[in-house]
Amino acid sequence: MVRIGRRRLLRWGLGGAAAVGLGGLFAWQTSGYEVPSAIARRLRALTPKEYLIVEAAAARILRSDRPEDPAPGELEVALFVDGFVARLDEATRDDLKKLLHLLEHGLPLSAGRASRFTRLDGPGQDGVLAAMMNSSVGLLRGAFDSLRSLCAMAYWRDPRTWQAIGYDGPLVARPSGGWW
């Protein structure tokens, strides 16, 4: 008969509880990334998780004070970003995907938030993005600028957004009645 001391049993019990707890936390933090099947079928480079991160970031970065302006979701900004990312070289695509995962899991923690980016409310997401934009780390500021530029390119490509800034559209292939 093998005898196990109380301290050893307590250590094993605490270690097991910690392992189960961390496993549960990991499962909670990495689950729940579901997109409609119609969108999932259209994704070319991003995973559903990455698509949802872009969608959440674009919604905050591109929000407008004018109710008549189209929302990023209406213009399929995240799907455009997916198509753009699909055309990038592999190293750049991998870097962008790493940025998205950092935005989802790492940056909320560094901004004092205990939840992932896509689960934060609007002000919480704004705080994470502001911390990224104003970071003392140049790489993070540059990453924010890249993400913002990518979202802006995806948004302003659509003729429905042009009137908000007074742009009457390109002269090439211009419809006879104008763009808007």
Side-chain angles (χ1 to χ4, degrees):
M1 176 182 214
V2 177
R3 292 186 48 103
I4 299 174
R6 284 180 285 179
R7 287 186 180 163
R8 181 180 286 183
L9 182 62
L10 183 59
R11 262 195 317 255
W12 284 357
L14 289 175
V20 168
L22 287 173
L25 179 63
F26 178 78
W28 179 71
Q29 282 290 337
T30 59
S31 63
Y33 295 102
E34 296 170 16
V35 297
S37 59
I39 289 178
R41 284 191 300 271
R42 294 173 62 189
L43 292 177
R44 296 173 39 206
L46 300 177
T47 64
K49 175 182 180 176
E50 293 159 348
Y51 167 86
L52 291 171
I53 297 166
V54 170
E55 187 176 58
R60 300 312 300 170
I61 291 169
L62 300 169
R63 74 185 182 284
S64 172
D65 295 336
R66 298 167 21 117
E68 64 271 17
D69 291 342
E74 291 174 52
L75 304 179
E76 297 185 332
V77 165
L79 278 174
F80 177 87
V81 169
D82 172 67
F84 184 84
V85 170
R87 294 186 302 272
L88 296 173
D89 64 90
E90 186 176 348
T92 306
R93 185 172 45 247
D94 288 347
D95 285 347
L96 180 67
K97 287 173 164 252
K98 287 174 187 170
L99 165 62
L100 294 176
H101 290 271
L102 177 65
L103 174 59
E104 178 70 346
H105 298 291
L107 294 177
L109 288 174
S110 69
R113 305 294 179 156
S115 184
R116 64 189 190 201
F117 183 79
T118 55
R119 285 194 176 152
L120 293 173
D121 61 5
Q125 290 177 340
D126 290 346
V128 170
L129 291 169
M132 187 179 181
M133 180 177 67
N134 298 315
S135 174
S136 62
V137 179
L139 188 60
L140 280 179
R141 288 192 314 273
F144 175 80
D145 288 342
S146 298
L147 182 61
R148 178 180 54 189
S149 296
L150 190 56
C151 290
M153 176 180 63
Y155 185 80
W156 296 107
R157 83 190 193 290
D158 192 293
R160 293 174 285 178
T161 63
W162 297 345
Q163 190 170 14
I165 57 172
Y167 177 57
D168 61 354
L171 297 176
V172 177
R174 184 184 204 84
S176 59
W179 290 99
W180 43 275

